[in-house]
């Protein structure tokens, strides 16, 4: 049996995970407001894996079922990905964990996202673009697009059950 | 190379924008001598986003041009739902068997 480089790669796997020591050490808990709603603010700098890891840790006490948690993490990651793709100015994610729901607000200062109805229609089969907002809308219980002179915000809401 | 002419790629980790180039390079390497079938075994991929979807679509198209069918194997429940919502599963065949 021949030992091609591909066979070797297959045996060892193609390593794609990123680990960011800085992100891993950041505090998972933010501030707690008087009404018990916890808030965590994360900058969008480029390390999406780090953002997902911190968001997962922040969600843990909310005990979402596995599918809902994965859906929400994907939606947050897609929104941050959009900021990196289009805004060019960085952005911020604010996560809020309260009674029965988790909300993420992903903001950028470029304000390129102005269409409140964006992502309501699926991209054509095989399309190379246009998945982000469509996936967010499919994955979350609520998606709002807000736009003002300070920039654009996508607000994602997922209910606990 | 499997006896039946398949090659297998086993990505490990999250399939996002940071992993797209790595996977594309692995696919291109596998296509240097195009096999009949190229299996991407998704056992160790817990996360895939729109960048991953586009990477898989591009890889599938590159393979098809060379006469290779690219298929996905061992796709978990969440990714299966994602591939349905994104209609990736209407382009790239998802198979049940696990090899490699």
């Amino acid at each position: 049996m021949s030992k091609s480089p591909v066979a070797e790669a297959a045996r060892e796997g193609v390593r794609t995970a990123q680990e960011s020591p800085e992100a891993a050490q950041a505090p998972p808990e933010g501030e707690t407001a008087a009404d018990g709603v916890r808030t965590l603010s994360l900058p969008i700098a480029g390390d999406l894996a780090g953002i997902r890891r911190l968001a997962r840790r922040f969600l843990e006490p909310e005990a979402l079922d596995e599918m809902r948690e994965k859906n929400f993490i994907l939606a947050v990651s897609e929104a941050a990905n959009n900021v990196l793709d289009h805004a060019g100015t960085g952005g911020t994610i604010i996560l809020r964990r309260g009674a029965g729901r988790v909300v993420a607000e992903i903001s950028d200062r470029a304000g390129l996202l102005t269409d409140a109805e964006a992502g309501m229609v699926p991209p054509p089969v095989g399309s190379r673009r246009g998945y982000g907002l469509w996936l967010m809308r499919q994955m979350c219980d609520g998606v709002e697009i807000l736009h003002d002179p300070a920039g654009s915000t996508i607000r994602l809401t997922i209910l606990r059950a | 190379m499997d006896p039946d002419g398949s090659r297998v790629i086993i990505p490990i980790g999250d399939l996002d924008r940071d992993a797209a180039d790595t996977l594309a390079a692995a696919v291109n390497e596998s296509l240097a001598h195009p096999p009949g079938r190229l299996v991407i075994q998704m056992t160790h991929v817990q996360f895939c986003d729109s960048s991953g979807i586009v990477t898989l679509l591009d890889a599938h198209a590159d393979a098809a041009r060379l006469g290779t069918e690219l298929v996905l194997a061992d796709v978990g429940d969440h990714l299966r739902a994602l591939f349905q919502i994104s209609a990736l599963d209407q382009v790239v065949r998802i198979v049940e068997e696990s090899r490699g």
Side-chain angles (χ1 to χ4, degrees):
Chain A
M1 192 167 153
S2 70
K3 277 197 171 184
S4 73
V6 172
E8 290 297 317
R11 200 163 297 118
E12 293 170 17
V14 180
R15 214 155 267 287
T16 60
Q18 289 80 40
E19 286 294 326
S20 160
E22 301 80 27
Q25 286 163 13
E29 290 297 322
E31 298 162 15
T32 306
D35 58 2
V37 175
R38 280 191 170 276
T39 303
L40 175 68
S41 182
L42 300 169
I44 303 170
D47 176 18
L48 292 181
I51 286 172
R52 290 194 294 271
R53 189 163 46 245
L54 290 174
R56 280 189 198 104
R57 281 163 64 187
F58 182 74
L59 289 187
E60 266 171 27
E62 188 59 26
L64 295 173
D65 70 53
E66 189 185 347
M67 204 66 162
R68 277 172 181 275
E69 191 212 285
K70 287 185 169 184
N71 288 347
F72 189 69
I73 294 293
L74 173 59
V76 171
S77 191
E78 286 290 344
N81 197 29
N82 271 2
V83 171
L84 293 175
D85 274 351
H86 302 303
T89 58
T92 307
I93 300 173
I94 296 174
L95 295 170
R96 291 197 183 84
R97 194 181 76 212
R101 70 172 57 201
V102 181
V103 177
E105 291 184 351
I106 299 91
S107 302
D108 70 77
R109 290 179 295 282
L112 296 179
L113 194 56
T114 56
D115 179 6
E117 303 293 307
M120 298 291 248
V121 177
V125 173
S127 172
R128 297 303 196 268
R129 55 187 303 279
Y131 291 101
L133 268 161
W134 168 250
L135 291 179
M136 287 180 233
R137 290 193 188 277
Q138 300 305 303
M139 297 292 165
C140 295
D141 294 306
V143 175
E144 296 161 86
I145 297 173
L146 313 168
H147 183 253
D148 67 24
S152 298
T153 297
I154 299 177
R155 183 186 294 146
L156 309 171
T157 302
I158 200 152
L159 307 175
R160 187 154 62 168
Chain B
M1 183 82 79
D2 283 2
D4 68 353
S6 291
R7 275 181 205 267
V8 182
I9 293 176
I10 309 175
I12 297 173
D14 292 356
L15 206 41
D16 64 7
R17 63 192 284 140
D18 296 317
D21 290 349
T22 308
L23 181 61
V27 168
N28 284 337
E29 196 182 328
S30 299
L31 293 175
H33 301 284
R37 197 170 75 143
L38 180 56
V39 181
I40 301 190
Q41 191 173 314
M42 302 291 281
T43 319
H44 303 293
V45 177
Q46 303 300 325
F47 177 88
C48 176
D49 67 3
S50 57
S51 302
I53 289 167
V54 172
T55 302
L56 291 171
L57 286 169
D58 284 341
H60 180 268
D62 288 347
R65 271 193 291 276
L66 297 167
T68 296
E69 188 195 16
L70 183 149
V71 302
L72 303 178
D74 280 345
V75 178
D77 288 346
H78 183 258
L79 291 191
R80 197 172 279 265
L82 173 68
F83 293 159
Q84 190 176 1
I85 289 167
S86 60
L88 178 87
D89 64 358
Q90 292 182 42
V91 179
V92 183
R93 198 156 62 91
I94 297 174
V95 299
E96 297 301 329
E97 83 244 57
S98 169
R99 290 178 197 269

